[in-house]
Amino acid sequence: NSDLFGRVKFIDFLQKPFWDLVFTMYDPFILSEDMAEFGMPFGQAIKTIQRKTKKPFRWIGYFPIDALQEPVWIKNSVSLCDVPILYTNWGMKQALKHDQTLDQKAKIIYHGIDPKTFYYVGEKTVADFRQKYFKGSADGKVLVVNVNRNQLRKDWLHTFIAFKEYQKKVPESLLYCHTKKDDMGGNLVQMAKQVGLSPKDVQFPARFTEYWGVPTQLLNMIYNAADMVISTSIGEGFGLSSVE
């Protein structure tokens, strides 16, 4: 249906009495949003179904908390789960600010990666990939890579400003932005241009959206090809691209 987060479909499935365990991975504010279809916030709708079910399921919630929280967000999400899971100590502190009882049941599970997925491939393979993927434009240059969504809190503007300063010291360098050119964070091509970077200084993937990325094997090769991986995110601190 029209809901970007699939909440109406989720509730439809949830009302079938099959479930022993139910896992969710939503931002707290998304679970806290009032839904006209349910007559209550999404998180409260999940809890209501759980209470009405003859054989109640256990609700395990995973919460990416990377910004200051409103009390109602925690109340309608983290507080309602049987097992709430945060992925950082900082996220846990934000949740505890609004519900001290979470100290008894909330857990922290850090981001992780599978070393069979992200690993070093060797210099010859890297050199061949760089030449092919960047079509020679990275040859002999320091390759700087930023892998992040094009949205405001990733602060791409400061990536461009920092790279422009770096170029003064290392002219033979290339910035590769593994992201969508035009998204919630604005038009990055124009943003880079305003900072004084030309198309030969900054590259983007040819075909890329938030829904259509690249195969994991290709992302691994992009990390391998980089001389430097950077992030200017101001609301994260511990993100997947850093761990990868």
Side-chain angles (χ1 to χ4, degrees):
N1 57 38
S2 60
D3 178 41
L4 176 64
F5 302 108
R7 289 171 288 194
V8 177
K9 286 186 177 180
F10 181 85
I11 292 296
D12 286 344
F13 276 110
L14 197 60
Q15 294 182 75
K16 298 176 174 63
F18 314 146
W19 317 114
D20 298 312
L21 298 175
V22 171
F23 292 84
T24 59
M25 190 171 69
Y26 286 100
D27 291 285
F29 69 87
I30 294 172
L31 278 154
S32 190
E33 185 176 336
D34 281 316
M35 302 287 293
E37 295 90 341
F38 314 141
M40 63 183 73
F42 177 39
Q44 293 285 355
I46 296 173
K47 198 67 181 179
T48 299
I49 294 170
Q50 183 188 41
R51 287 169 176 157
K52 288 181 177 179
T53 305
K54 289 182 180 179
K55 182 192 171 190
F57 52 81
R58 295 266 290 166
W59 178 10
I60 296 92
Y62 180 83
F63 298 99
I65 293 182
D66 44 28
L68 297 177
Q69 299 293 291
E70 294 292 337
V72 69
W73 297 351
I74 300 299
K75 174 186 173 184
N76 289 322
S77 60
V78 184
S79 295
L80 296 179
C81 291
D82 298 300
V83 184
I85 301 170
L86 296 311
Y87 66 81
T88 62
N89 285 300
W90 190 86
M92 177 70 86
K93 288 178 183 177
Q94 303 315 305
L96 288 173
K97 278 183 184 179
H98 306 300
D99 184 354
Q100 285 292 323
T101 67
L102 290 170
D103 191 45
Q104 304 301 313
K105 65 174 183 176
K107 301 180 185 299
I108 298 174
I109 299 177
Y110 300 116
H111 276 321
I113 59 161
D114 185 344
K116 294 178 182 175
T117 302
F118 291 101
Y119 56 92
Y120 180 58
V121 298
E123 290 186 22
K124 176 66 167 63
T125 305
V126 168
D128 291 345
F129 173 80
R130 274 179 63 136
Q131 209 286 325
K132 183 178 179 181
Y133 187 77
F134 295 99
K135 298 180 173 59
S137 60
D139 292 357
K141 294 184 179 180
V142 173
L143 180 61
V144 181
V145 172
N146 187 334
V147 178
N148 271 298
R149 174 85 185 268
N150 175 10
Q151 56 183 203
L152 290 173
R153 68 182 176 88
K154 304 300 184 180
D155 197 8
W156 280 92
L157 176 60
H158 277 93
T159 288
F160 297 135
I161 292 171
F163 182 72
K164 183 66 178 176
E165 289 298 308
Y166 180 71
Q167 273 198 321
K168 293 177 182 178
K169 296 182 178 181
V170 186
E172 291 301 307
S173 53
L174 174 70
L175 174 64
Y176 174 69
C177 306
H178 191 71
T179 193
K180 186 179 178 181
K181 295 178 185 178
D182 197 352
D183 199 354
M184 296 167 63
N187 186 311
L188 297 187
V189 174
Q190 287 300 318
M191 195 180 294
K193 184 178 179 181
Q194 292 295 324
V195 170
L197 297 171
S198 71
K200 70 178 180 60
D201 300 316
V202 184
Q203 287 192 11
F204 298 86
R207 180 170 174 247
F208 191 90
T209 75
E210 61 274 32
Y211 303 111
W212 185 281
V214 300
T216 304
Q217 302 95 313
L218 176 54
L219 183 56
N220 183 53
M221 291 302 302
I222 290 168
Y223 285 129
N224 268 272
D227 294 299
M228 188 189 313
V229 177
I230 68 168
S231 173
T232 49
S233 177
I234 57 174
E236 189 168 28
F238 191 86
L240 285 174
S241 60
S242 303
V243 184
E244 291 162 357

